[in-house]
Amino acid sequence: MQTFAIIKPDAVARNLTGEILAAMENSGLRIVALKRLHLSREQAAGFYAVHRERPFFDSLITYMSSGPVVCVVLAGENAVPRWRELMGATDPARAEPGTLRRKYGQSLEANAVHGSDAAETAAFETAYFFSALEIVD
Ligand code: UDP
Ligand code: MG
């Protein structure tokens, strides 16, 4: 199974890319694709299209396009739930101790990392950023 992850602008800006990539690998997940990007507002809006009616959408798009991000495809058994568990709950204040969002998240919005919520979502999100040639499993 594969999942899609983003190291979000707040974490990249604080030089946490290496620590977060290490946490992915230390958990046993494998990095099978990796890319650093600075999203436009349009690109961020397309990625988060499912949330376009939500009150936090505009602020989320501003934040996600505010600086570089690092996009990652992770592979391993049960990769989707395993990466969600490592990240912790959306709100860093409610995330379990030891999770990445608890350790590195600054707010409900600036919560350091993204992870797909299901295998079908992972397929859409991966294809949004990576061509088949860029995924080396
Ligand atoms: N978010 C926000 N306010 C909210 C809920 C979510 O700013 O009330 C942001 C936050 O960055 C979150 C992203 O929108 O990671 C996507 O929200 P989702 O509910 O999909 O949470 P996730 O799947 O990232 O845990
Ligand atoms: Mg989500």
Side-chain angles (χ1 to χ4, degrees):
M1 183 188 253
Q2 291 184 354
T3 192
F4 176 77
I6 301 178
I7 305 174
K8 293 185 176 184
D10 63 297
V12 173
R14 285 177 292 144
N15 257 3
L16 294 169
T17 299
E19 280 186 50
I20 293 172
L21 292 175
M24 290 168 172
E25 294 196 318
N26 289 339
S27 78
L29 292 167
R30 289 175 294 112
I31 295 169
V32 297
L34 185 66
K35 174 181 294 191
R36 175 176 161 107
L37 293 170
H38 190 152
L39 300 179
S40 66
R41 287 187 59 86
E42 291 67 31
Q43 289 166 335
F47 177 71
Y48 275 125
V50 290
H51 291 314
R52 64 184 172 272
E53 307 299 338
R54 308 284 288 276
F56 59 82
F57 182 72
D58 194 63
S59 178
L60 175 62
I61 289 336
T62 300
Y63 156 61
M64 287 299 291
S65 58
S66 67
V69 297
V70 174
C71 299
V72 187
V73 181
L74 296 170
E77 205 173 317
N78 294 315
V80 168
R82 276 167 68 193
W83 175 238
R84 293 286 303 191
E85 196 175 323
L86 261 158
M87 288 200 303
T90 308
D91 185 351
R94 294 169 189 267
E96 290 292 319
T99 61
L100 294 169
R101 283 169 162 173
R102 178 69 169 260
K103 275 180 16 197
Y104 302 131
Q106 296 184 302
S107 67
L108 174 56
E109 178 176 79
N111 58 2
V113 281
H114 166 83
S116 308
D117 59 11
E120 311 77 62
T121 324
F124 166 80
E125 293 177 349
T126 297
Y128 192 81
F129 288 106
F130 292 97
S131 74
L133 279 174
E134 294 174 315
I135 301 161
V136 185
D137 198 349

mmCIF file with all atom_site columns, all heavy atoms in Angstrom, residues 9-37:
data_model
loop_
_atom_site.group_PDB
_atom_site.id
_atom_site.type_symbol
_atom_site.label_atom_id
_atom_site.label_alt_id
_atom_site.label_comp_id
_atom_site.label_asym_id
_atom_site.label_entity_id
_atom_site.label_seq_id
_atom_site.pdbx_PDB_ins_code
_atom_site.Cartn_x
_atom_site.Cartn_y
_atom_site.Cartn_z
_atom_site.occupancy
_atom_site.B_iso_or_equiv
_atom_site.pdbx_formal_charge
_atom_site.auth_seq_id
_atom_site.auth_comp_id
_atom_site.auth_asym_id
_atom_site.auth_atom_id
_atom_site.pdbx_PDB_model_num
ATOM 1   N N   . PRO A 1 9  ? 4.401  24.004 4.905  1.00 0.00 ? 9  PRO A N   1
ATOM 2   C CA  . PRO A 1 9  ? 5.317  25.164 4.911  1.00 0.00 ? 9  PRO A CA  1
ATOM 3   C C   . PRO A 1 9  ? 5.876  25.534 6.282  1.00 0.00 ? 9  PRO A C   1
ATOM 4   O O   . PRO A 1 9  ? 7.049  25.932 6.379  1.00 0.00 ? 9  PRO A O   1
ATOM 5   C CB  . PRO A 1 9  ? 4.446  26.301 4.363  1.00 0.00 ? 9  PRO A CB  1
ATOM 6   C CG  . PRO A 1 9  ? 3.433  25.624 3.510  1.00 0.00 ? 9  PRO A CG  1
ATOM 7   C CD  . PRO A 1 9  ? 3.141  24.312 4.196  1.00 0.00 ? 9  PRO A CD  1
ATOM 8   N N   . ASP A 1 10 ? 5.082  25.408 7.335  1.00 0.00 ? 10 ASP A N   1
ATOM 9   C CA  . ASP A 1 10 ? 5.586  25.801 8.670  1.00 0.00 ? 10 ASP A CA  1
ATOM 10  C C   . ASP A 1 10 ? 6.740  24.912 9.098  1.00 0.00 ? 10 ASP A C   1
ATOM 11  O O   . ASP A 1 10 ? 7.713  25.370 9.708  1.00 0.00 ? 10 ASP A O   1
ATOM 12  C CB  . ASP A 1 10 ? 4.457  25.772 9.713  1.00 0.00 ? 10 ASP A CB  1
ATOM 13  C CG  . ASP A 1 10 ? 3.879  24.377 9.918  1.00 0.00 ? 10 ASP A CG  1
ATOM 14  O OD1 . ASP A 1 10 ? 3.324  23.826 8.946  1.00 0.00 ? 10 ASP A OD1 1
ATOM 15  O OD2 . ASP A 1 10 ? 4.007  23.832 11.026 1.00 0.00 ? 10 ASP A OD2 1
ATOM 16  N N   . ALA A 1 11 ? 6.657  23.617 8.765  1.00 0.00 ? 11 ALA A N   1
ATOM 17  C CA  . ALA A 1 11 ? 7.717  22.676 9.163  1.00 0.00 ? 11 ALA A CA  1
ATOM 18  C C   . ALA A 1 11 ? 8.953  22.834 8.279  1.00 0.00 ? 11 ALA A C   1
ATOM 19  O O   . ALA A 1 11 ? 10.085 22.812 8.777  1.00 0.00 ? 11 ALA A O   1
ATOM 20  C CB  . ALA A 1 11 ? 7.186  21.243 9.104  1.00 0.00 ? 11 ALA A CB  1
ATOM 21  N N   . VAL A 1 12 ? 8.745  23.010 6.964  1.00 0.00 ? 12 VAL A N   1
ATOM 22  C CA  . VAL A 1 12 ? 9.888  23.213 6.065  1.00 0.00 ? 12 VAL A CA  1
ATOM 23  C C   . VAL A 1 12 ? 10.637 24.480 6.472  1.00 0.00 ? 12 VAL A C   1
ATOM 24  O O   . VAL A 1 12 ? 11.877 24.497 6.535  1.00 0.00 ? 12 VAL A O   1
ATOM 25  C CB  . VAL A 1 12 ? 9.429  23.273 4.587  1.00 0.00 ? 12 VAL A CB  1
ATOM 26  C CG1 . VAL A 1 12 ? 10.584 23.662 3.673  1.00 0.00 ? 12 VAL A CG1 1
ATOM 27  C CG2 . VAL A 1 12 ? 8.838  21.923 4.166  1.00 0.00 ? 12 VAL A CG2 1
ATOM 28  N N   . ALA A 1 13 ? 9.902  25.531 6.795  1.00 0.00 ? 13 ALA A N   1
ATOM 29  C CA  . ALA A 1 13 ? 10.520 26.815 7.152  1.00 0.00 ? 13 ALA A CA  1
ATOM 30  C C   . ALA A 1 13 ? 11.350 26.711 8.424  1.00 0.00 ? 13 ALA A C   1
ATOM 31  O O   . ALA A 1 13 ? 12.315 27.464 8.608  1.00 0.00 ? 13 ALA A O   1
ATOM 32  C CB  . ALA A 1 13 ? 9.441  27.883 7.333  1.00 0.00 ? 13 ALA A CB  1
ATOM 33  N N   . ARG A 1 14 ? 10.997 25.783 9.306  1.00 0.00 ? 14 ARG A N   1
ATOM 34  C CA  . ARG A 1 14 ? 11.747 25.608 10.563 1.00 0.00 ? 14 ARG A CA  1
ATOM 35  C C   . ARG A 1 14 ? 12.813 24.515 10.453 1.00 0.00 ? 14 ARG A C   1
ATOM 36  O O   . ARG A 1 14 ? 13.311 24.043 11.479 1.00 0.00 ? 14 ARG A O   1
ATOM 37  C CB  . ARG A 1 14 ? 10.772 25.329 11.709 1.00 0.00 ? 14 ARG A CB  1
ATOM 38  C CG  . ARG A 1 14 ? 10.030 26.598 12.161 1.00 0.00 ? 14 ARG A CG  1
ATOM 39  C CD  . ARG A 1 14 ? 9.014  26.303 13.234 1.00 0.00 ? 14 ARG A CD  1
ATOM 40  N NE  . ARG A 1 14 ? 7.937  25.515 12.662 1.00 0.00 ? 14 ARG A NE  1
ATOM 41  C CZ  . ARG A 1 14 ? 7.282  24.535 13.299 1.00 0.00 ? 14 ARG A CZ  1
ATOM 42  N NH1 . ARG A 1 14 ? 7.586  24.225 14.539 1.00 0.00 ? 14 ARG A NH1 1
ATOM 43  N NH2 . ARG A 1 14 ? 6.333  23.873 12.676 1.00 0.00 ? 14 ARG A NH2 1
ATOM 44  N N   . ASN A 1 15 ? 13.175 24.129 9.207  1.00 0.00 ? 15 ASN A N   1
ATOM 45  C CA  . ASN A 1 15 ? 14.251 23.150 8.983  1.00 0.00 ? 15 ASN A CA  1
ATOM 46  C C   . ASN A 1 15 ? 13.947 21.787 9.596  1.00 0.00 ? 15 ASN A C   1
ATOM 47  O O   . ASN A 1 15 ? 14.854 21.101 10.082 1.00 0.00 ? 15 ASN A O   1
ATOM 48  C CB  . ASN A 1 15 ? 15.575 23.668 9.549  1.00 0.00 ? 15 ASN A CB  1
ATOM 49  C CG  . ASN A 1 15 ? 16.496 24.190 8.465  1.00 0.00 ? 15 ASN A CG  1
ATOM 50  O OD1 . ASN A 1 15 ? 16.126 24.225 7.292  1.00 0.00 ? 15 ASN A OD1 1
ATOM 51  N ND2 . ASN A 1 15 ? 17.690 24.594 8.851  1.00 0.00 ? 15 ASN A ND2 1
ATOM 52  N N   . LEU A 1 16 ? 12.665 21.407 9.563  1.00 0.00 ? 16 LEU A N   1
ATOM 53  C CA  . LEU A 1 16 ? 12.275 20.112 10.127 1.00 0.00 ? 16 LEU A CA  1
ATOM 54  C C   . LEU A 1 16 ? 12.153 19.015 9.073  1.00 0.00 ? 16 LEU A C   1
ATOM 55  O O   . LEU A 1 16 ? 11.777 17.880 9.392  1.00 0.00 ? 16 LEU A O   1
ATOM 56  C CB  . LEU A 1 16 ? 10.943 20.259 10.886 1.00 0.00 ? 16 LEU A CB  1
ATOM 57  C CG  . LEU A 1 16 ? 11.022 21.147 12.123 1.00 0.00 ? 16 LEU A CG  1
ATOM 58  C CD1 . LEU A 1 16 ? 9.625  21.474 12.657 1.00 0.00 ? 16 LEU A CD1 1
ATOM 59  C CD2 . LEU A 1 16 ? 11.862 20.482 13.212 1.00 0.00 ? 16 LEU A CD2 1
ATOM 60  N N   . THR A 1 17 ? 12.497 19.334 7.819  1.00 0.00 ? 17 THR A N   1
ATOM 61  C CA  . THR A 1 17 ? 12.347 18.342 6.739  1.00 0.00 ? 17 THR A CA  1
ATOM 62  C C   . THR A 1 17 ? 13.079 17.039 7.073  1.00 0.00 ? 17 THR A C   1
ATOM 63  O O   . THR A 1 17 ? 12.495 15.956 6.988  1.00 0.00 ? 17 THR A O   1
ATOM 64  C CB  . THR A 1 17 ? 12.871 18.923 5.402  1.00 0.00 ? 17 THR A CB  1
ATOM 65  O OG1 . THR A 1 17 ? 12.093 20.078 5.082  1.00 0.00 ? 17 THR A OG1 1
ATOM 66  C CG2 . THR A 1 17 ? 12.774 17.915 4.278  1.00 0.00 ? 17 THR A CG2 1
ATOM 67  N N   . GLY A 1 18 ? 14.345 17.151 7.455  1.00 0.00 ? 18 GLY A N   1
ATOM 68  C CA  . GLY A 1 18 ? 15.144 15.956 7.715  1.00 0.00 ? 18 GLY A CA  1
ATOM 69  C C   . GLY A 1 18 ? 14.601 15.125 8.866  1.00 0.00 ? 18 GLY A C   1
ATOM 70  O O   . GLY A 1 18 ? 14.535 13.894 8.783  1.00 0.00 ? 18 GLY A O   1
ATOM 71  N N   . GLU A 1 19 ? 14.188 15.805 9.946  1.00 0.00 ? 19 GLU A N   1
ATOM 72  C CA  . GLU A 1 19 ? 13.657 15.061 11.096 1.00 0.00 ? 19 GLU A CA  1
ATOM 73  C C   . GLU A 1 19 ? 12.382 14.320 10.738 1.00 0.00 ? 19 GLU A C   1
ATOM 74  O O   . GLU A 1 19 ? 12.147 13.194 11.201 1.00 0.00 ? 19 GLU A O   1
ATOM 75  C CB  . GLU A 1 19 ? 13.358 16.028 12.257 1.00 0.00 ? 19 GLU A CB  1
ATOM 76  C CG  . GLU A 1 19 ? 14.607 16.401 13.024 1.00 0.00 ? 19 GLU A CG  1
ATOM 77  C CD  . GLU A 1 19 ? 14.298 17.244 14.249 1.00 0.00 ? 19 GLU A CD  1
ATOM 78  O OE1 . GLU A 1 19 ? 13.424 16.852 15.044 1.00 0.00 ? 19 GLU A OE1 1
ATOM 79  O OE2 . GLU A 1 19 ? 14.927 18.302 14.384 1.00 0.00 ? 19 GLU A OE2 1
ATOM 80  N N   . ILE A 1 20 ? 11.539 14.953 9.927  1.00 0.00 ? 20 ILE A N   1
ATOM 81  C CA  . ILE A 1 20 ? 10.263 14.322 9.558  1.00 0.00 ? 20 ILE A CA  1
ATOM 82  C C   . ILE A 1 20 ? 10.502 13.177 8.575  1.00 0.00 ? 20 ILE A C   1
ATOM 83  O O   . ILE A 1 20 ? 9.897  12.107 8.706  1.00 0.00 ? 20 ILE A O   1
ATOM 84  C CB  . ILE A 1 20 ? 9.263  15.377 9.059  1.00 0.00 ? 20 ILE A CB  1
ATOM 85  C CG1 . ILE A 1 20 ? 8.869  16.292 10.230 1.00 0.00 ? 20 ILE A CG1 1
ATOM 86  C CG2 . ILE A 1 20 ? 8.032  14.710 8.441  1.00 0.00 ? 20 ILE A CG2 1
ATOM 87  C CD1 . ILE A 1 20 ? 8.041  17.507 9.863  1.00 0.00 ? 20 ILE A CD1 1
ATOM 88  N N   . LEU A 1 21 ? 11.421 13.357 7.631  1.00 0.00 ? 21 LEU A N   1
ATOM 89  C CA  . LEU A 1 21 ? 11.767 12.242 6.733  1.00 0.00 ? 21 LEU A CA  1
ATOM 90  C C   . LEU A 1 21 ? 12.352 11.081 7.536  1.00 0.00 ? 21 LEU A C   1
ATOM 91  O O   . LEU A 1 21 ? 12.054 9.907  7.271  1.00 0.00 ? 21 LEU A O   1
ATOM 92  C CB  . LEU A 1 21 ? 12.764 12.696 5.662  1.00 0.00 ? 21 LEU A CB  1
ATOM 93  C CG  . LEU A 1 21 ? 12.244 13.695 4.620  1.00 0.00 ? 21 LEU A CG  1
ATOM 94  C CD1 . LEU A 1 21 ? 13.393 14.136 3.699  1.00 0.00 ? 21 LEU A CD1 1
ATOM 95  C CD2 . LEU A 1 21 ? 11.110 13.118 3.783  1.00 0.00 ? 21 LEU A CD2 1
ATOM 96  N N   . ALA A 1 22 ? 13.172 11.385 8.529  1.00 0.00 ? 22 ALA A N   1
ATOM 97  C CA  . ALA A 1 22 ? 13.752 10.328 9.373  1.00 0.00 ? 22 ALA A CA  1
ATOM 98  C C   . ALA A 1 22 ? 12.660 9.598  10.151 1.00 0.00 ? 22 ALA A C   1
ATOM 99  O O   . ALA A 1 22 ? 12.705 8.368  10.278 1.00 0.00 ? 22 ALA A O   1
ATOM 100 C CB  . ALA A 1 22 ? 14.786 10.928 10.326 1.00 0.00 ? 22 ALA A CB  1
ATOM 101 N N   . ALA A 1 23 ? 11.664 10.338 10.640 1.00 0.00 ? 23 ALA A N   1
ATOM 102 C CA  . ALA A 1 23 ? 10.561 9.695  11.376 1.00 0.00 ? 23 ALA A CA  1
ATOM 103 C C   . ALA A 1 23 ? 9.798  8.743  10.455 1.00 0.00 ? 23 ALA A C   1
ATOM 104 O O   . ALA A 1 23 ? 9.376  7.656  10.878 1.00 0.00 ? 23 ALA A O   1
ATOM 105 C CB  . ALA A 1 23 ? 9.624  10.749 11.957 1.00 0.00 ? 23 ALA A CB  1
ATOM 106 N N   . MET A 1 24 ? 9.616  9.149  9.196  1.00 0.00 ? 24 MET A N   1
ATOM 107 C CA  . MET A 1 24 ? 8.943  8.262  8.235  1.00 0.00 ? 24 MET A CA  1
ATOM 108 C C   . MET A 1 24 ? 9.737  6.963  8.098  1.00 0.00 ? 24 MET A C   1
ATOM 109 O O   . MET A 1 24 ? 9.182  5.864  8.197  1.00 0.00 ? 24 MET A O   1
ATOM 110 C CB  . MET A 1 24 ? 8.874  8.939  6.861  1.00 0.00 ? 24 MET A CB  1
ATOM 111 C CG  . MET A 1 24 ? 7.931  10.122 6.806  1.00 0.00 ? 24 MET A CG  1
ATOM 112 S SD  . MET A 1 24 ? 8.183  11.052 5.259  1.00 0.00 ? 24 MET A SD  1
ATOM 113 C CE  . MET A 1 24 ? 6.806  12.211 5.356  1.00 0.00 ? 24 MET A CE  1
ATOM 114 N N   . GLU A 1 25 ? 11.042 7.092  7.863  1.00 0.00 ? 25 GLU A N   1
ATOM 115 C CA  . GLU A 1 25 ? 11.871 5.903  7.639  1.00 0.00 ? 25 GLU A CA  1
ATOM 116 C C   . GLU A 1 25 ? 12.018 5.070  8.910  1.00 0.00 ? 25 GLU A C   1
ATOM 117 O O   . GLU A 1 25 ? 11.990 3.840  8.856  1.00 0.00 ? 25 GLU A O   1
ATOM 118 C CB  . GLU A 1 25 ? 13.248 6.311  7.105  1.00 0.00 ? 25 GLU A CB  1
ATOM 119 C CG  . GLU A 1 25 ? 13.145 6.926  5.718  1.00 0.00 ? 25 GLU A CG  1
ATOM 120 C CD  . GLU A 1 25 ? 14.476 6.999  4.993  1.00 0.00 ? 25 GLU A CD  1
ATOM 121 O OE1 . GLU A 1 25 ? 15.482 7.355  5.638  1.00 0.00 ? 25 GLU A OE1 1
ATOM 122 O OE2 . GLU A 1 25 ? 14.506 6.697  3.796  1.00 0.00 ? 25 GLU A OE2 1
ATOM 123 N N   . ASN A 1 26 ? 12.151 5.744  10.051 1.00 0.00 ? 26 ASN A N   1
ATOM 124 C CA  . ASN A 1 26 ? 12.298 5.004  11.310 1.00 0.00 ? 26 ASN A CA  1
ATOM 125 C C   . ASN A 1 26 ? 11.056 4.179  11.624 1.00 0.00 ? 26 ASN A C   1
ATOM 126 O O   . ASN A 1 26 ? 11.133 3.188  12.356 1.00 0.00 ? 26 ASN A O   1
ATOM 127 C CB  . ASN A 1 26 ? 12.597 5.960  12.468 1.00 0.00 ? 26 ASN A CB  1
ATOM 128 C CG  . ASN A 1 26 ? 13.996 6.544  12.373 1.00 0.00 ? 26 ASN A CG  1
ATOM 129 O OD1 . ASN A 1 26 ? 14.863 5.979  11.698 1.00 0.00 ? 26 ASN A OD1 1
ATOM 130 N ND2 . ASN A 1 26 ? 14.221 7.673  13.032 1.00 0.00 ? 26 ASN A ND2 1
ATOM 131 N N   . SER A 1 27 ? 9.909  4.594  11.097 1.00 0.00 ? 27 SER A N   1
ATOM 132 C CA  . SER A 1 27 ? 8.669  3.848  11.342 1.00 0.00 ? 27 SER A CA  1
ATOM 133 C C   . SER A 1 27 ? 8.589  2.602  10.463 1.00 0.00 ? 27 SER A C   1
ATOM 134 O O   . SER A 1 27 ? 7.667  1.795  10.611 1.00 0.00 ? 27 SER A O   1
ATOM 135 C CB  . SER A 1 27 ? 7.466  4.731  11.045 1.00 0.00 ? 27 SER A CB  1
ATOM 136 O OG  . SER A 1 27 ? 7.247  4.822  9.638  1.00 0.00 ? 27 SER A OG  1
ATOM 137 N N   . GLY A 1 28 ? 9.520  2.479  9.523  1.00 0.00 ? 28 GLY A N   1
ATOM 138 C CA  . GLY A 1 28 ? 9.509  1.319  8.634  1.00 0.00 ? 28 GLY A CA  1
ATOM 139 C C   . GLY A 1 28 ? 8.867  1.587  7.284  1.00 0.00 ? 28 GLY A C   1
ATOM 140 O O   . GLY A 1 28 ? 8.941  0.739  6.391  1.00 0.00 ? 28 GLY A O   1
ATOM 141 N N   . LEU A 1 29 ? 8.248  2.769  7.133  1.00 0.00 ? 29 LEU A N   1
ATOM 142 C CA  . LEU A 1 29 ? 7.705  3.124  5.819  1.00 0.00 ? 29 LEU A CA  1
ATOM 143 C C   . LEU A 1 29 ? 8.865  3.466  4.892  1.00 0.00 ? 29 LEU A C   1
ATOM 144 O O   . LEU A 1 29 ? 9.911  3.949  5.341  1.00 0.00 ? 29 LEU A O   1
ATOM 145 C CB  . LEU A 1 29 ? 6.742  4.308  5.946  1.00 0.00 ? 29 LEU A CB  1
ATOM 146 C CG  . LEU A 1 29 ? 5.445  3.994  6.697  1.00 0.00 ? 29 LEU A CG  1
ATOM 147 C CD1 . LEU A 1 29 ? 4.707  5.281  7.061  1.00 0.00 ? 29 LEU A CD1 1
ATOM 148 C CD2 . LEU A 1 29 ? 4.536  3.073  5.875  1.00 0.00 ? 29 LEU A CD2 1
ATOM 149 N N   . ARG A 1 30 ? 8.683  3.233  3.596  1.00 0.00 ? 30 ARG A N   1
ATOM 150 C CA  . ARG A 1 30 ? 9.730  3.530  2.616  1.00 0.00 ? 30 ARG A CA  1
ATOM 151 C C   . ARG A 1 30 ? 9.357  4.746  1.787  1.00 0.00 ? 30 ARG A C   1
ATOM 152 O O   . ARG A 1 30 ? 8.208  4.877  1.367  1.00 0.00 ? 30 ARG A O   1
ATOM 153 C CB  . ARG A 1 30 ? 9.939  2.315  1.686  1.00 0.00 ? 30 ARG A CB  1
ATOM 154 C CG  . ARG A 1 30 ? 10.615 1.149  2.376  1.00 0.00 ? 30 ARG A CG  1
ATOM 155 C CD  . ARG A 1 30 ? 10.713 -0.089 1.467  1.00 0.00 ? 30 ARG A CD  1
ATOM 156 N NE  . ARG A 1 30 ? 9.384  -0.617 1.177  1.00 0.00 ? 30 ARG A NE  1
ATOM 157 C CZ  . ARG A 1 30 ? 8.808  -0.589 -0.016 1.00 0.00 ? 30 ARG A CZ  1
ATOM 158 N NH1 . ARG A 1 30 ? 9.440  -0.085 -1.057 1.00 0.00 ? 30 ARG A NH1 1
ATOM 159 N NH2 . ARG A 1 30 ? 7.600  -1.081 -0.189 1.00 0.00 ? 30 ARG A NH2 1
ATOM 160 N N   . ILE A 1 31 ? 10.341 5.643  1.567  1.00 0.00 ? 31 ILE A N   1
ATOM 161 C CA  . ILE A 1 31 ? 10.125 6.819  0.725  1.00 0.00 ? 31 ILE A CA  1
ATOM 162 C C   . ILE A 1 31 ? 10.337 6.383  -0.723 1.00 0.00 ? 31 ILE A C   1
ATOM 163 O O   . ILE A 1 31 ? 11.456 6.053  -1.116 1.00 0.00 ? 31 ILE A O   1
ATOM 164 C CB  . ILE A 1 31 ? 11.092 7.950  1.128  1.00 0.00 ? 31 ILE A CB  1
ATOM 165 C CG1 . ILE A 1 31 ? 10.774 8.416  2.555  1.00 0.00 ? 31 ILE A CG1 1
ATOM 166 C CG2 . ILE A 1 31 ? 11.004 9.111  0.128  1.00 0.00 ? 31 ILE A CG2 1
ATOM 167 C CD1 . ILE A 1 31 ? 11.833 9.334  3.159  1.00 0.00 ? 31 ILE A CD1 1
ATOM 168 N N   . VAL A 1 32 ? 9.252  6.392  -1.521 1.00 0.00 ? 32 VAL A N   1
ATOM 169 C CA  . VAL A 1 32 ? 9.355  5.916  -2.911 1.00 0.00 ? 32 VAL A CA  1
ATOM 170 C C   . VAL A 1 32 ? 9.254  7.067  -3.915 1.00 0.00 ? 32 VAL A C   1
ATOM 171 O O   . VAL A 1 32 ? 9.442  6.863  -5.119 1.00 0.00 ? 32 VAL A O   1
ATOM 172 C CB  . VAL A 1 32 ? 8.325  4.806  -3.218 1.00 0.00 ? 32 VAL A CB  1
ATOM 173 C CG1 . VAL A 1 32 ? 8.596  3.588  -2.340 1.00 0.00 ? 32 VAL A CG1 1
ATOM 174 C CG2 . VAL A 1 32 ? 6.892  5.283  -3.060 1.00 0.00 ? 32 VAL A CG2 1
ATOM 175 N N   . ALA A 1 33 ? 8.975  8.284  -3.425 1.00 0.00 ? 33 ALA A N   1
ATOM 176 C CA  . ALA A 1 33 ? 9.010  9.488  -4.268 1.00 0.00 ? 33 ALA A CA  1
ATOM 177 C C   . ALA A 1 33 ? 9.140  10.694 -3.349 1.00 0.00 ? 33 ALA A C   1
ATOM 178 O O   . ALA A 1 33 ? 8.639  10.689 -2.220 1.00 0.00 ? 33 ALA A O   1
ATOM 179 C CB  . ALA A 1 33 ? 7.749  9.604  -5.110 1.00 0.00 ? 33 ALA A CB  1
ATOM 180 N N   . LEU A 1 34 ? 9.826  11.739 -3.848 1.00 0.00 ? 34 LEU A N   1
ATOM 181 C CA  . LEU A 1 34 ? 10.141 12.894 -3.001 1.00 0.00 ? 34 LEU A CA  1
ATOM 182 C C   . LEU A 1 34 ? 10.330 14.130 -3.884 1.00 0.00 ? 34 LEU A C   1
ATOM 183 O O   . LEU A 1 34 ? 10.990 14.054 -4.915 1.00 0.00 ? 34 LEU A O   1
ATOM 184 C CB  . LEU A 1 34 ? 11.445 12.598 -2.258 1.00 0.00 ? 34 LEU A CB  1
ATOM 185 C CG  . LEU A 1 34 ? 11.957 13.583 -1.219 1.00 0.00 ? 34 LEU A CG  1
ATOM 186 C CD1 . LEU A 1 34 ? 11.010 13.646 -0.033 1.00 0.00 ? 34 LEU A CD1 1
ATOM 187 C CD2 . LEU A 1 34 ? 13.340 13.128 -0.732 1.00 0.00 ? 34 LEU A CD2 1
ATOM 188 N N   . LYS A 1 35 ? 9.743  15.274 -3.476 1.00 0.00 ? 35 LYS A N   1
ATOM 189 C CA  . LYS A 1 35 ? 9.805  16.473 -4.313 1.00 0.00 ? 35 LYS A CA  1
ATOM 190 C C   . LYS A 1 35 ? 9.546  17.719 -3.461 1.00 0.00 ? 35 LYS A C   1
ATOM 191 O O   . LYS A 1 35 ? 8.635  17.727 -2.633 1.00 0.00 ? 35 LYS A O   1
ATOM 192 C CB  . LYS A 1 35 ? 8.724  16.321 -5.384 1.00 0.00 ? 35 LYS A CB  1
ATOM 193 C CG  . LYS A 1 35 ? 8.495  17.459 -6.279 1.00 0.00 ? 35 LYS A CG  1
ATOM 194 C CD  . LYS A 1 35 ? 7.366  17.162 -7.271 1.00 0.00 ? 35 LYS A CD  1
ATOM 195 C CE  . LYS A 1 35 ? 7.712  16.056 -8.250 1.00 0.00 ? 35 LYS A CE  1
ATOM 196 N NZ  . LYS A 1 35 ? 6.710  15.959 -9.362 1.00 0.00 ? 35 LYS A NZ  1
ATOM 197 N N   . ARG A 1 36 ? 10.367 18.765 -3.690 1.00 0.00 ? 36 ARG A N   1
ATOM 198 C CA  . ARG A 1 36 ? 10.155 20.044 -3.005 1.00 0.00 ? 36 ARG A CA  1
ATOM 199 C C   . ARG A 1 36 ? 9.513  21.011 -3.993 1.00 0.00 ? 36 ARG A C   1
ATOM 200 O O   . ARG A 1 36 ? 9.963  21.145 -5.133 1.00 0.00 ? 36 ARG A O   1
ATOM 201 C CB  . ARG A 1 36 ? 11.497 20.585 -2.524 1.00 0.00 ? 36 ARG A CB  1
ATOM 202 C CG  . ARG A 1 36 ? 11.458 21.969 -1.888 1.00 0.00 ? 36 ARG A CG  1
ATOM 203 C CD  . ARG A 1 36 ? 12.861 22.300 -1.368 1.00 0.00 ? 36 ARG A CD  1
ATOM 204 N NE  . ARG A 1 36 ? 13.054 23.726 -1.159 1.00 0.00 ? 36 ARG A NE  1
ATOM 205 C CZ  . ARG A 1 36 ? 13.116 24.304 0.038  1.00 0.00 ? 36 ARG A CZ  1
ATOM 206 N NH1 . ARG A 1 36 ? 12.996 23.577 1.140  1.00 0.00 ? 36 ARG A NH1 1
ATOM 207 N NH2 . ARG A 1 36 ? 13.311 25.603 0.142  1.00 0.00 ? 36 ARG A NH2 1
ATOM 208 N N   . LEU A 1 37 ? 8.448  21.686 -3.562 1.00 0.00 ? 37 LEU A N   1
ATOM 209 C CA  . LEU A 1 37 ? 7.651  22.564 -4.434 1.00 0.00 ? 37 LEU A CA  1
ATOM 210 C C   . LEU A 1 37 ? 7.212  23.793 -3.662 1.00 0.00 ? 37 LEU A C   1
ATOM 211 O O   . LEU A 1 37 ? 7.018  23.722 -2.446 1.00 0.00 ? 37 LEU A O   1
ATOM 212 C CB  . LEU A 1 37 ? 6.355  21.846 -4.847 1.00 0.00 ? 37 LEU A CB  1
ATOM 213 C CG  . LEU A 1 37 ? 6.413  20.628 -5.752 1.00 0.00 ? 37 LEU A CG  1
ATOM 214 C CD1 . LEU A 1 37 ? 5.033  19.997 -5.796 1.00 0.00 ? 37 LEU A CD1 1
ATOM 215 C CD2 . LEU A 1 37 ? 6.851  21.029 -7.141 1.00 0.00 ? 37 LEU A CD2 1
#
